[in-house]
Amino acid sequence: MTTQSVKTQDLRLPHLPNGRMLIGGQWVEALGGERIKVLDPATERTIGSVARGQAADIDLAVRAADNALSNASWSKMSALDRERLLTRLANLIEENADELARIEALDNGKAVTIARNIDVVGAINTFRYFAGWPSKMSGLTLPVSSSSEDYHAYTIRQPIGVVGQIIPWNYPLVMAAWKLAPALASGCTVVLKPAEQTPYTALRLGELVQEAGFPPGVVNIVTGFGFEAGDALVHHPRVSKIAFTGSTSVGKHIAASAAKTLKRVSLELGGKSPTIILPDADLDVAIPTATQACFFNSGQLCFAGTRLFAPRNLFNRVLKGVSSAVTQMKVGPGLDVDTVLGPVVSEVQMERVLDKIDRGRNAGASIEVGGSRRGNVGYFVEPTIAVTTDVMNPLYREEVFGPVLAAIPYDDIDDLIRLANDTDYGLGANVFTRDISAAHTLARGIEAGTIWVNCALVADPALPFGGFKQSGYGRENSGVVLDHYTEIKTVCVKL
Ligand code: NAP
Ligand code: MG
């Protein structure tokens, strides 16, 4: 991720959007009139409420998106004008960066300095990157291969239509950017459903979308629960594609529902990514980076390196190094400028994480550091390191999505690819070595969407990102994602 560092100066409580939804260019309450409370996970206090959008609201939003799709103000907009709008949006996010960071810190709990330098900067970069695409998207001219007659055959790319986008709570603003930017660059219109726990930066982004001048209905934002608003979006007949980031279980459910109408689906799901330290690795790089790879964002990271493999003869040194790095991370509320690890997002998530730690401990994992809740106000979980050699231990096998590392000693380098791949997931892997041949051999052998060598957490708009196996299908970012938001049409003309 980008390392440009800006000190967040303004730590006042941010002004929050009023919790109405953006449908067809208007800010509206849910038709049912209900609201959902939003909490600050550091204090457990209610900070506001947002509309509880349900099926009828989704229907209005999809109709608005459908109308906008065929409205000339969007469908006939020149590519350069679409680029200008995306750039304007990037500029507006930049102008409001401190405020967005404070909203994210309050709503999600993450450290405000990280929200400012990683999340907000990531969102800006994403819109800037995709702002460059509309004028470069094109088709191909192709020779017909099987005929001696003359044809002129070519392909054009057309926007896939109305896209439903469902995002999680761990990177609310970044996920909104990863979803919206390529869809808008492709000329689609969107109904976005943020996570129920963290709706505010998406709503603030909606205000900026309007300020940038996108035509009404191009971006619609419906807040609500997954089983209501999310489900209605997945089932709506006028939605051509669902882009989802979240849990593997909900991803499977969405894939099954979408199969009924053959809606296009892309899924970015969970992970249990390996971090592999080879015997020749530079431990001064490997130890702090492996620590970040697992504990960044309090471990609420789909590609977190949560299975740490270290050679048996270096294992104690690595374990000591990571333990010491972890205990130096300041745990605190997101809005505290010195915080490195905030709370986890909700009470439900805290209970899930603590339950997994208990199950791991009961199944024989040795908890070397942490292992409990910290304090009794706020959803703080101690950074936790478990050691286990049992590949069936829940902390080895299951995604935790909290600040929990499973460390595993290994004996045989030639067995590493098998160990790394012994998981249903395949999102990422981190490899630390100075041996280029070993690095590339592991990179080829590990079944994962991204292999980071001597680094971690580098997610960039220009690099494809996504999963093998049950980490999902489809790729986000880079030119590759545009294939998910466009249909390719072949035109074949007999001359
Ligand atoms: P989740 O249920 O998969 O939530 C992700 C998004 O999907 C939210 O917007 C959610 O709405 C929505 N959703 C839920 N059920 C739906 C349905 N039936 N149809 C359509 N949309 C639906 O994730 P979670 O419960 O918040 O977190 C559970 C686990 O998911 C975590 O422990 C972690 O393992 C994983 N997770 C992964 C990622 C990732 O980046 N890959 C991110 C977050 C969580 P609501 O807000 O109402 O739930
Ligand atoms: Mg919240």
Side-chain angles (χ1 to χ4, degrees):
M1 294 197 182
T2 323
T3 49
Q4 168 198 350
S5 187
V6 182
K7 192 119 176 127
T8 306
Q9 302 292 353
D10 184 354
L11 295 173
R12 288 168 303 159
L13 280 182
H15 174 73
L16 295 172
N18 62 21
R20 297 206 184 106
M21 309 184 291
L22 180 60
I23 297 182
Q26 304 293 320
W27 290 98
V28 296
E29 287 295 340
L31 291 169
E34 287 181 61
R35 284 205 158 217
I36 301 171
K37 275 195 212 162
V38 185
L39 303 184
D40 167 6
T43 60
E44 305 181 26
R45 280 203 290 262
T46 302
I47 53 172
S49 68
V50 296
R52 177 175 176 173
Q54 292 174 278
D57 306 286
I58 287 288
D59 186 51
L60 282 182
V62 172
R63 283 166 196 273
D66 202 20
N67 288 336
L69 191 66
S70 50
N71 192 308
S73 66
W74 183 242
S75 65
K76 303 281 183 218
M77 184 181 280
S78 74
L80 288 180
D81 281 342
R82 233 185 303 147
E83 295 189 350
R84 189 173 296 137
L85 281 181
L86 287 162
T87 298
R88 211 179 277 158
L89 182 54
N91 291 343
L92 284 167
I93 299 170
E94 196 154 36
E95 284 164 27
N96 292 278
D98 273 0
E99 183 202 37
L100 283 161
R102 284 182 294 125
I103 297 176
E104 203 75 308
L106 181 65
D107 192 8
N108 164 280
K110 66 176 66 199
V112 67
T113 314
I114 293 171
R116 175 68 183 81
N117 291 301
I118 302 292
D119 297 60
V120 177
V121 169
I124 296 165
N125 290 345
T126 301
F127 281 105
R128 283 211 195 297
Y129 173 83
F130 282 102
W133 268 108
S135 61
K136 284 102 192 161
M137 291 169 70
S138 62
L140 297 168
T141 307
L142 299 158
V144 173
S145 63
S146 56
S147 170
S148 55
E149 312 229 31
D150 257 356
Y151 293 91
H152 174 46
Y154 61 94
T155 59
I156 48 178
R157 277 171 183 264
Q158 295 183 322
I160 202 161
V162 175
V163 178
Q165 304 186 316
I166 301 173
I167 56 173
W169 41 257
N170 57 338
Y171 280 91
L173 180 66
V174 177
M175 289 297 106
W178 281 25
K179 294 287 183 278
L180 288 176
L184 298 173
S186 305
C188 296
T189 58
V190 174
V191 178
L192 176 75
K193 194 207 83 69
E196 150 244 325
Q197 299 88 344
T198 55
Y200 279 122
T201 44
L203 292 174
R204 182 71 187 108
L205 185 63
E207 294 173 356
L208 300 178
V209 162
Q210 285 199 299
E211 201 178 327
F214 284 86
V218 169
V219 175
N220 305 275
I221 302 173
V222 177
T223 48
F225 293 114
F227 66 90
E228 293 177 345
D231 190 65
L233 197 51
V234 171
H235 284 97
H236 201 291
R238 292 297 302 157
V239 172
S240 303
K241 179 210 159 62
I242 293 287
F244 172 79
T245 298
S247 61
T248 294
S249 60
V250 173
K252 287 179 183 175
H253 180 74
I254 286 176
S257 307
K260 289 178 199 133
T261 52
L262 290 185
K263 263 189 190 64
R264 278 56 173 151
V265 177
S266 51
L267 301 172
E268 201 266 275
L269 310 174
K272 193 74 193 174
S273 299
T275 293
I276 299 173
I277 298 182
L278 290 188
D280 73 324
D282 179 351
L283 293 185
D284 291 340
V285 172
I287 289 173
T289 314
T291 307
Q292 287 294 332
C294 178
F295 292 95
F296 196 75
N297 209 39
S298 300
Q300 301 168 118
L301 189 70
C302 48
F303 54 90
T306 50
R307 287 182 296 147
L308 174 63
F309 296 95
R312 195 173 295 278
N313 64 339
L314 294 176
F315 187 74
N316 282 337
R317 206 172 137 198
V318 169
L319 187 64
K320 224 172 124 200
V322 176
S323 304
S324 138
V326 152
T327 34
Q328 280 163 35
M329 289 176 156
K330 188 167 181 301
V331 179
L335 276 177
D336 183 335
V337 77
D338 296 322
T339 290
V340 175
L341 293 186
V344 298
V345 75
S346 64
E347 184 171 8
V348 170
Q349 192 61 18
M350 179 179 73
E351 293 302 340
R352 276 185 195 141
V353 172
L354 294 174
D355 177 61
K356 285 230 166 126
I357 295 172
D358 280 346
R359 287 203 293 119
R361 187 192 275 124
N362 293 339
S366 148
I367 307 295
E368 302 287 321
V369 174
S372 321
R373 182 178 185 181
R374 177 168 298 187
N376 48 23
V377 177
Y379 311 125
F380 294 96
V381 177
E382 290 177 332
T384 299
I385 301 176
V387 173
T388 179
T389 48
D390 172 11
V391 296
M392 294 318 289
N393 187 285
L395 295 177
Y396 187 108
R397 196 140 290 277
E398 297 171 21
E399 182 174 49
V400 180
F401 230 70
V404 184
L405 177 71
I408 304 122
Y410 69 83
D411 296 303
D412 179 5
I413 304 180
D414 294 333
D415 200 25
L416 279 172
I417 290 177
R418 187 193 64 80
L419 286 172
N421 290 341
D422 178 24
T423 168
D424 289 337
Y425 295 109
L427 200 49
N430 309 288
V431 173
F432 294 91
T433 179
R434 290 186 257 218
D435 177 338
I436 52 168
S437 174
H440 290 294
T441 303
L442 285 169
R444 281 192 191 188
I446 296 173
E447 297 159 344
T450 304
I451 315 292
W452 287 277
V453 179
N454 295 327
C455 62
L457 306 175
V458 184
D460 185 276
L463 304 182
F465 179 83
F468 280 36
K469 303 195 283 190
Q470 294 192 30
S471 290
Y473 43 69
R475 291 290 178 272
E476 308 221 61
N477 290 331
S478 80
V480 172
V481 71
L482 303 171
D483 290 342
H484 299 305
Y485 289 112
T486 49
E487 289 282 15
I488 290 178
K489 183 180 282 177
T490 303
V491 181
C492 181
V493 183
K494 175 91 170 61
L495 298 179

